[in-house]
Amino acid sequence: MTIKTLDELISDGVDNRYVLVRSDLNVPLADGKVTDDGRIRASIPTLQLLVEHGAKVIVMAHLGRPKGQPDEKYSLRPAVDRLDELAPFAVEFADDVTGPSAVERAGTLAAGSVLVLQNIRFDPRETSKDDAQRMELARELAALTGGSGAYVDDAFGAVHRKHASVYDIAEVLPAYEGNLVRSELEVLSRLTTDPAKPYVVVLGGSKVSDKLAVIENLMTRADSLLIGGGMVFTFLAAQGHKVGASLLEEDQIETVKGYLSRGAELGCEFVLPTDIVVADKFAADAEHEVVPADAMEDSRFGAAGIGLDIGPDSARTFADRIASGATVFWNGPMGVFEFDAFAGGTKAVAEGLKQCSGLTVVGGGDSAAAVRKLGFSDSDFSHISTGGGASLEYLEGKELPGIAVLDK
Ligand SMILES: Nc1ncnc2c1ncn2[C@@H]1O[C@H](COP(=O)(O)OP(=O)(O)OP(=O)(O)O)[C@@H](O)[C@H]1O
Ligand SMILES: O=C(O)[C@H](O)COP(=O)(O)O
C-alpha cells in the first residue's frame, strides 16, 4: 500500500492551505445533548495538528441516518458544540453542506481555524448509489477549498461506506490518511495477523445478521467465540432449544448450525451462555428471573419470556475466559445494558477485559458507549475502536472503500 500519511501532508506544508477532513462525529444524543463523546475526543488530535500548522480546516461529518434532507433531529450542532468545548481551538459551524452558509464561512475562514459543515447526509448525493451524483457533491465540497485543498480521511467509523465525503472526494483532491484511521488500522491488523493465543472473540449486540459474516472469518483464527446479547437466541434455537419471545432470526438458524459444526472441525470453540436472565417485557422495570439457557420457557413467563441478558454463571465463565486470553476482541453488549437490571453480563465482560493482561480491543459504537456508561475508562482496555461496522468489515476481510481509494 502506498497511502499518503498526515505527516507527509504536514511536511508538504499546510500553512494557510484549505484541508477538508472527514471525521466521524456520529455520537449518541439524548435531549439534544451528547451522551458519549468518545468519537468527538478521538477526532481532535488530527484537527489539532492541522490547526497548529496553520491549515484552514473544513470538517465533513454525519450524524445518524437522515433521509437525504435537512432534519433538525439529526443536526450536527450538539456534536459541534461538544467539539468546541473539548478542543483547544475554536470551532465554527455552517448550517448547510455546500450551500450559502458553507460557501460564505469557508471563504472567510482564517488560517489555523476549524469550520464544521452541517450533517453531510442532509444532501442526498452523499449516500447516492449513482456515481455521478456523488461525484457532483464531491466537486462542490472540493470547491469550498478553492479547488487547491487537500483531503484527509480521519473517519475510521465510516471507511466502509462508499459515500461522497469518504470515497469520491479522494478522487478529486490529493488524499491523505488521518492519524485516527492509521492507528485504528494498526491495532486491528494485530487481530488478523498472527494474534497471540489464546485468541478470544466475544460477540453480542442486536444486529445478528450483520455479525454472522464476521463469525465465518474469525472461526478460522480465534480459539474461542463467546456469544452473548441478542445473537444468543439464534444459536440456542440452532441447538434445538426454545427461546420464548427473545430476539430470533429464524432464517439464520441453518447458517448458525453450519457454524457450530464447522467450528468444531476447525478447533474453534463456541461458548454459549448456560443461563439467561428472562423478563416479562422489554422495559427497565420488567419482572425477571434467571433460568437455564436450555429451558428458557420454564420461567414463570413461559413462551412470553424475553431473554435480556446472559445469566450470572455465564457472566463468570465469560469473564474468566476473557481474563486468561492473550488477544481479546469484543463487539456488542451481552444484554440490554441500557436497563440496569440487564447490564450484569456486559459489566462482567468489561471487567474480564480489564483484568486481561493481553491485547484487548473493544469495537462497536454501542459497546464503547456501554463500557463508559458502566464506569470503565478508556485506559482499562488496550484500544476502544471508534468503528462499529467498519471494524467488523475489516475483520471480515472485506475491502474498505474509504481505505482502498486512498491507495489509488
Ligand atoms: N438480549 C437482547 N435482546 C435485545 N437487544 C439486545 C440484547 N442484548 C443486547 N441488546 C442490544 O444490542 C444493542 C447493541 O447492539 P449493536 O449490534 O448495535 O452493538 P454494537 O456493534 O456495539 O454497536 P454499533 O453497531 O453501533 O457499533 C444495545 O442497544 C442492546 O440493548
Ligand atoms: O456509527 C457508525 O458505525 C458510523 O458512524 C457509520 O454510521 P452508519 O452505519 O450510519 O454508516
Side-chain angles (χ1 to χ4, degrees), residues 205-290:
S206 57
K207 296 174 197 150
V208 180
S209 26
D210 278 12
K211 294 182 188 181
L212 289 177
V214 82
I215 291 181
E216 190 140 19
N217 195 293
L218 287 176
M219 253 189 320
T220 58
R221 299 200 170 96
D223 298 296
S224 52
L225 275 166
L226 280 48
I227 306 290
M231 306 187 82
V232 157
F233 309 105
T234 308
F235 277 80
L236 292 175
Q239 290 184 326
H241 305 307
K242 293 203 163 115
V243 298
S246 309
L247 195 72
L248 174 65
E249 293 204 14
E250 279 190 65
D251 54 347
Q252 300 291 346
I253 292 176
E254 285 309 311
T255 310
V256 167
K257 278 186 187 165
Y259 289 161
L260 290 171
S261 54
R262 199 160 136 64
E265 283 163 23
L266 290 166
C268 172
E269 185 188 2
F270 278 93
V271 184
L272 299 183
T274 49
D275 55 350
I276 300 285
V277 184
V278 174
D280 66 336
K281 58 182 175 189
F282 191 95
D285 62 350
E287 297 280 323
H288 53 91
E289 68 180 70
V290 177

Side-chain angles (χ1 to χ4, degrees), residues 22-27 39 62-66 121 127 155-161 163 207 210 364-366 386-391:
R22 179 59 158 99
S23 300
D24 185 0
L25 303 180
N26 186 24
V27 288
R39 279 179 167 159
H62 74 281
L63 191 130
R65 294 179 177 172
R121 291 188 182 171
T127 56
F156 178 71
V159 289
H160 57 317
R161 303 292 181 214
H163 292 170
K207 296 174 197 150
D210 278 12
D366 279 304
T386 52
S391 61

Side-chain angles (χ1 to χ4, degrees), residues 205-207 211 229-230 233 307-308 331-333 335-338 364-367 388:
S206 57
K207 296 174 197 150
K211 294 182 188 181
F233 309 105
L308 293 185
N331 173 279
V336 184
F337 71 93
E338 295 91 339
D366 279 304
S367 316

Side-chain angles (χ1 to χ4, degrees), residues 27 29 32-34 40 63 75-83:
V27 288
L29 302 177
K33 287 261 174 284
V34 173
I40 297 176
L63 191 130
S75 170
L76 260 180
R77 169 71 76 182
V80 173
D81 287 346
R82 186 72 186 127
L83 174 64

Side-chain angles (χ1 to χ4, degrees), residues 146-203:
S148 60
Y151 165 68
V152 173
D153 186 0
D154 207 37
F156 178 71
V159 289
H160 57 317
R161 303 292 181 214
K162 194 175 180 182
H163 292 170
S165 67
V166 177
Y167 183 83
D168 306 82
I169 188 72
E171 301 203 317
V172 180
L173 293 177
Y176 299 81
E177 176 188 56
N179 284 348
L180 178 60
V181 167
R182 208 194 51 210
S183 66
E184 290 271 14
L185 291 175
E186 263 166 25
V187 176
L188 292 177
S189 71
R190 291 167 65 193
L191 298 174
T192 48
T193 323
D194 290 332
K197 303 261 179 180
Y199 180 11
V200 181
V201 173
V202 194
L203 290 177

